[in-house]
């Protein structure tokens, strides 16, 4: 039998009566992710999804990498199926895991008997296979407490499966089960991570980027589109709404006190984002704001900014340390692009002394002198929709 993947379910197993819909969605997500890599049979049994290549033309390594990015999976392993008898199981261990065992200093066997018709208990199976391994690999010590390498044997309904240690899956919930959200995507480190974090909760996402040409360059726009493409490795294909924001920022510069530039700019962003989000069927807005990180991210400033929207406003990074955000950015592959030296519109007309504790009444009085609705409508009319997908074909 050929090598297959076993994908172990995460939080999905905790669902109640609607667990079946979560499992079906997850199975269809995996099947879609496998298509660029060939013909794979994807089915589910006993809280595990089986991914089996159907012919030798399949790109097994590409499919394996793609499985790491599917939300809803807790752990994944490559394994060798075999018949459910001791000789076949040991032969599979020797053939499939022999190289790993040869390099190990010590080992143990862990068995799971999901098929209760199998005549041995899990402990008996581990002892029998462990004894045979000890004879075949006398240089590798047996250590049941702290082994260098663990051999896993799973006896299931269709076959027995042998594999080494599993690798972590992407976790979270299946994409498409948590609604739809619009992520305010800048060119920095934080917002792509925020998008990843909300997508991990099963949420389909699109992005909204504010572009102020000629104050920000075409390279800055392409940088953001590349960040979105990198995010789609996990989220699936995405629409990026590139909002023409130049006129709004110029009016703010000309008509508002300098210390209020940033807070009023962000209020316009929220108004525009909410309109676009509602048009596209999104139920919430998501930002990469992090409490206390910059002047516009104080409690007072965020309260004034959020006061202009009626839909939920989520901040997945609100209490995280910067080092932890950077670690996630590195993990999902966005960090190197985020630190490219192309500035976004948030750096345009930056006040020397921004207001960190603005009053909502004062801000509303300033905005009352502006054509708020006209500026919002102009920005929405000057929005370009760009569809992006991961370079590797996922999504």
């Amino acid at each position: 039998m050929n090598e297959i993947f076993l994908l172990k379910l995460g939080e999905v197993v905790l669902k109640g009566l609607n667990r079946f819909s979560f499992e079906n969605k997850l199975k269809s997500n995996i099947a879609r992710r496998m298509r660029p890599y060939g013909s794979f049979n994807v089915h589910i049994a006993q809280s595990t999804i089986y991914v089996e290549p159907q012919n030798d033309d399949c790109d097994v390594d590409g499919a394996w990498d793609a499985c790491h990015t599917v939300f809803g999976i807790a752990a994944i392993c490559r394994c060798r199926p075999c018949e459910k008898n001791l000789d076949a199981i040991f032969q599979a261990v020797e053939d499939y895991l022999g190289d790993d065992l040869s390099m190990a200093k010590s080992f143990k066997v862990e068995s799971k008997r999901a098929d209760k018709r199998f005549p041995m208990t899990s402990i008996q199976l581990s002892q029998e296979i462990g004894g045979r391994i000890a004879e075949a690999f006398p240089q590798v010590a047996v250590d049941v407490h702290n082994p260098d390498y663990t051999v896993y044997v799973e006896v299931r309904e269709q076959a027995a499966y042998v594999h080494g240690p599993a690798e972590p899956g992407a976790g979270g919930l299946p994409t498409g089960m948590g609604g739809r959200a619009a992520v305010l995507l800048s060119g920095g480190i934080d917002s792509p991570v925020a998008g990843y974090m909300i997508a991990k909760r099963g949420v389909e996402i699109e992005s909204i980027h504010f572009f102020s040409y000629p104050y920000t360059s075409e390279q800055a726009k392409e940088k953001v589109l590349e960040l979105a493409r990198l995010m789609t490795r996990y989220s699936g294909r995405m629409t990026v709404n590139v909002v023409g924001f130049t006129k709004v920022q110029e009016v703010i510069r000309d008509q508002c006190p300098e210390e209020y530039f940033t807070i009023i700019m962000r209020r316009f962003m929220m108004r525009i984002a909410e309109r676009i989000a509602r048009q596209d069927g999104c139920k919430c807005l998501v930002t990469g704001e992090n409490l206390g990180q910059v002047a516009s991210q104080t409690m007072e400033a965020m309260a004034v900014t959020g006061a202009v929207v009626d839909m939920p406003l989520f901040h997945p990074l609100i209490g995280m340390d910067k080092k932890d955000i950077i670690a996630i950015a590195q993990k999902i592959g966005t960090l190197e692009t985020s630190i490219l030296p192309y500035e976004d519109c948030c750096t345009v007309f930056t006040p020397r002394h921004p207001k960190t504790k603005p009053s909502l009444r004062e801000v509303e009085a300033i905005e009352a002198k502006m054509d708020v609705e006209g500026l919002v409508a102009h920005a929405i009319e000057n929005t370009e929709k760009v569809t992006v997908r991961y370079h590797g074909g996922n999504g």
Side-chain angles (χ1 to χ4, degrees), residues 90-104 133 136-137 139-140 149 151 162:
F90 175 70
Q91 190 64 53
V93 169
E94 194 171 34
D95 293 345
Y96 189 61
L97 303 178
D99 289 344
D100 291 334
L101 279 166
S102 296
M103 294 185 291
I133 293 173
F137 299 87
Q139 77 281 11
V140 186
Y149 187 79
V151 172
V162 301

Side-chain angles (χ1 to χ4, degrees), residues 171-386:
L173 294 172
T175 302
M177 296 304 294
R180 186 171 178 81
V183 179
L184 277 69
L185 185 63
S186 70
I189 295 172
D190 297 345
S191 56
V193 175
Y196 163 82
M197 296 287 283
I198 202 71
K200 189 174 182 178
R201 302 311 302 161
V203 177
E204 292 182 350
I205 61 173
E206 66 175 72
S207 295
I208 300 173
H209 175 65
F210 294 89
F211 182 56
S212 293
Y213 185 81
Y215 303 106
T216 53
S217 66
E218 284 292 332
Q219 291 98 322
K221 174 182 171 182
E222 288 303 318
K223 170 185 172 180
V224 169
L225 292 177
E226 177 61 17
L227 285 172
R229 290 186 188 101
L230 293 169
M231 290 166 64
T232 62
R233 184 182 181 208
Y234 291 88
S235 68
R237 65 182 177 181
M238 172 195 318
T239 297
V240 182
N241 298 272
V242 182
V243 180
F245 202 52
T246 307
K247 183 176 179 180
V248 174
Q249 289 198 281
E250 289 178 338
V251 171
I252 293 172
R253 175 198 61 191
D254 296 339
Q255 297 186 12
C256 301
E258 181 184 344
E259 64 268 30
Y260 288 97
F261 282 0
T262 300
I263 193 70
I264 292 176
M265 175 195 72
R266 294 190 66 80
R267 280 166 62 88
F268 270 97
M269 287 180 170
M270 292 296 172
R271 292 184 178 100
I272 295 163
E274 182 177 28
R275 300 277 181 90
I276 293 172
R278 290 192 185 281
Q279 289 172 4
D280 293 353
C282 298
K283 303 301 183 184
C284 70
L285 298 178
V286 178
T287 81
E289 289 171 297
N290 178 256
L291 188 62
Q293 183 170 244
V294 295
S296 63
Q297 295 175 13
T298 63
M299 284 189 185
E300 294 84 355
M302 291 176 67
V304 171
T305 298
V308 297
V309 298
D310 291 325
M311 63 169 40
L313 187 56
F314 294 156
H315 313 292
L317 314 184
I318 195 67
M320 295 179 64
D321 289 345
K322 190 69 175 185
K323 65 179 179 62
D324 297 324
I325 298 171
I326 290 172
I328 296 174
Q330 203 160 22
K331 169 190 166 185
I332 65 176
T334 57
L335 181 61
E336 289 188 8
T337 301
S338 290
I339 62 177
L340 291 174
Y342 304 120
E343 297 181 330
D344 60 35
C345 71
C346 294
T347 62
V348 176
F349 312 134
T350 303
R352 289 165 293 182
H353 304 289
K355 197 80 170 177
T356 59
K357 296 183 178 181
S359 159
L360 180 58
R361 183 178 300 177
E362 291 173 353
V363 172
E364 289 176 337
I366 296 168
E367 290 179 342
K369 302 172 185 178
M370 306 171 68
D371 179 13
V372 172
E373 284 303 313
L375 289 169
V376 170
H378 179 271
I380 293 174
E381 288 170 7
N382 287 273
T383 295
E384 173 190 10
K385 288 186 177 289
V386 182

